[in-house]
Amino acid sequence: MAFTAAYWTLAALRPRVIAFFGCDMVYSKTDQTHFYGTGTADPLRSDVTLRSLEAKSARFMAIAALAGCAAINLSEQESRLVFPRYTPADLPQLSPPILDKTAIDSALSEERKLGYYVPSGKYWQEENRFDPAEIDRLDAMWRDVVRDRIA
């Protein structure tokens, strides 16, 4: 849900900064940290695509940077997001990170090659055509895009 909202915000509002706060995607096995309790990232269904939250946040950070937007983390807690950490006082002078455009283009090209785009958005209804090993390889490409820039 958080990434869906972030991509919508990026496309619809074209902000200079998208700051995440209290959305660290760390799921305690014992403490209630989310509205649904404890445990897993999405207790409502299994998700073959959600294998690396770090990679999914790296992808968003890269796409945002291409759009002229800095994706940042204002949280001080443990986080699965790879966004750089800042404070609200830093917001006025923030700019998007400079990332390797060739690496971003390679990852986007790999996404197109895999053909995992599902027009309906209901990818879980077609997950039998998704190869977890290929997703892991693609996730590694996205993590590499931001490796030297991560929090």
Side-chain angles (χ1 to χ4, degrees), residues 58-70:
R59 182 187 192 277
F60 179 75
M61 182 178 161
I63 300 297
L66 289 177
C69 177

Side-chain angles (χ1 to χ4, degrees), residues 26-108:
V26 174
Y27 303 94
S28 171
K29 299 289 185 200
T30 58
D31 298 325
Q32 182 168 343
T33 58
H34 295 76
F35 67 91
Y36 53 76
T38 62
T40 61
D42 190 345
L44 304 178
R45 62 178 154 74
S46 63
D47 188 334
V48 70
T49 68
L50 202 55
R51 301 177 58 76
S52 170
L53 292 169
E54 294 79 7
K56 301 319 183 228
S57 66
R59 182 187 192 277
F60 179 75
M61 182 178 161
I63 300 297
L66 289 177
C69 177
I72 67 165
N73 188 347
L74 294 176
S75 175
E76 295 177 3
Q77 305 298 318
E78 176 187 1
S79 184
R80 304 280 304 275
L81 302 176
V82 299
F83 311 142
R85 296 196 188 240
Y86 291 98
T87 68
D90 297 316
L91 292 174
Q93 68 268 12
L94 289 179
S95 59
I98 298 170
L99 300 174
D100 182 346
K101 179 128 174 29
T102 302
I104 294 170
D105 289 344
S106 292
L108 290 170

